[in-house]
Amino acid sequence: DTAVSQTPKYLVTQMGNDKSIKCEQNLGHDTMYWYKQDSKKFLKIMFSYNNKELIINETVPNRFSPKSPDKAHLNLHINSLELGDSAVYFCASSRTDGYYEQYFGPGTRLTVT
Amino acid sequence: DQQVKQNSPSLSVQEGRISILNCDYTNSMFDYFLWYKKYPAEGPTFLISISSIKDKNEDGRFTVFLNKSAKHLSLHIVPSQPGDSAVYFCALSTGTASKLTFGTGTRLQVTL
């Protein structure tokens, strides 16, 4: 009964490839997020969706495209992968009715070679 | 331009003693403050939070203090336990369901 799940947990791929990371939450939350933790361990917001609509896009390259088929799912597709995309990507979710706490998935470690 | 800083990258505390983790911020628009704990290979786990209208919030062994004038946030853990060994992040928000701006993290090690 995992609250926020991500697949895959590890992803190793070559430069130039296209890959997707999937995220699902069973908390009944309306808002979902993608964060990136880089090699210096900084956690930074990338995108946020509320009820399938994009509400935050933090100057992320166009090669990154989030997709929310329904409010329980938020997937991240990355085109033409670059070495600098290597990082841990975390999905998170939250309520929108005055609650700020976000609940995170276990992360996907992406390694681009 | 790091808006949220945790100036101690690491902290070592003996079991049973108090752990104090600090967080400083520059943007006065932040109005909600959270602490997360992170174990290796896991996602951050929410610990405790405080809104800007309060200066203290307590939950069991964890207490968060907010000093708005100094733009300073701290987390006290007492007594510290070995299971508290993890990386602690402060995270700040400017609105409901808004993005969280994370601090740089402090690695806490609780020794026997």
Side-chain angles (χ1 to χ4, degrees):
Chain A
D1 57 344
T2 306
V4 183
S5 59
Q6 294 178 229
T7 53
K9 191 163 175 64
Y10 299 96
L11 186 52
V12 181
T13 189
Q14 291 184 325
M15 283 175 56
N17 285 349
D18 303 339
K19 290 293 177 186
S20 292
I21 306 172
K22 295 186 176 181
C23 177
E24 176 181 1
Q25 55 93 6
N26 63 6
L27 297 167
H29 289 165
D30 295 319
T31 305
M32 296 185 72
Y33 311 80
W34 278 109
Y35 286 84
K36 179 181 179 180
Q37 186 178 36
D38 61 21
S39 56
K40 294 183 179 178
K41 307 301 182 186
F42 293 144
L43 259 169
K44 288 188 179 178
I45 183 79
M46 299 173 68
F47 300 103
S48 171
Y49 268 73
N50 177 259
N51 277 320
K52 302 192 297 176
E53 286 193 25
L54 181 67
I55 56 172
I56 295 175
N57 183 341
E58 286 287 304
T59 58
V60 177
N62 290 338
R63 299 182 295 102
F64 290 79
S65 54
K67 284 190 172 51
S68 182
D70 56 60
K71 70 176 191 178
H73 296 84
L74 180 62
N75 304 323
L76 183 64
H77 188 76
I78 315 170
N79 288 327
S80 304
L81 278 155
E82 300 178 358
L83 291 176
D85 298 332
S86 295
V88 182
Y89 293 85
F90 290 99
C91 176
S93 72
S94 72
R95 294 167 62 170
T96 51
D97 52 352
Y99 286 83
Y100 296 74
E101 291 82 8
Q102 295 180 19
Y103 295 84
F104 285 77
T108 296
R109 180 175 293 278
L110 171 64
T111 304
V112 183
T113 61
Chain B
D1 178 26
Q2 192 68 25
Q3 295 186 69
V4 183
K5 288 185 181 176
Q6 295 175 248
N7 290 318
S8 299
S10 63
L11 176 66
S12 183
V13 171
Q14 269 191 325
E15 182 181 12
R17 307 292 286 265
I18 185 170
S19 296
I20 300 176
L21 298 106
N22 295 303
C23 176
D24 295 294
Y25 61 97
T26 56
N27 186 349
S28 57
M29 295 298 291
F30 289 126
D31 61 0
Y32 203 78
F33 307 85
L34 306 92
W35 283 96
Y36 281 81
K37 177 167 78 171
K38 187 181 179 307
Y39 292 118
E42 293 184 13
T45 303
F46 169 71
L47 259 182
I48 191 169
S49 61
I50 188 169
S51 74
S52 58
I53 62 173
K54 294 185 176 181
D55 55 19
K56 177 182 174 181
N57 187 26
E58 193 171 349
D59 183 2
R61 297 186 297 113
F62 302 92
T63 303
V64 55
F65 294 92
L66 176 63
N67 183 333
K68 287 193 297 291
S69 59
K71 296 191 179 68
H72 180 79
L73 181 71
S74 64
L75 174 68
H76 293 206
I77 307 172
V78 57
S80 299
Q81 298 174 355
D84 296 331
S85 297
V87 178
Y88 289 79
F89 291 94
C90 59
L92 284 59
S93 175
T94 56
T96 307
S98 172
K99 65 179 182 179
L100 293 178
T101 301
F102 279 83
T104 46
T106 296
R107 182 177 301 277
L108 172 66
Q109 183 166 5
V110 179
T111 58
L112 297 172

